Amino acid sequence: MQNLVTRFIKDESGATAIEYGLIAALIAVGIIGAATALGGKISGNFQTAANAM
């Protein structure tokens, strides 16, 4: 039983999966923020082009 508890304490595979999940979430937030910021500018450019036509 003590061997099982020792292995459980030393096992870090769950922590690694959580870290990868946090990194993926951070990247997703960055992409969403950039798309939102650029989306407004691109929309404005298309609106200007449409008005010129």
Side-chain angles (χ1 to χ4, degrees), residues 13-43:
S13 61
T16 304
I18 291 172
E19 290 170 357
Y20 284 136
L22 290 173
I23 291 169
L26 184 61
I27 290 171
V29 167
I31 290 171
I32 291 170
T36 302
L38 291 176
K41 291 181 181 181
I42 292 172
S43 176

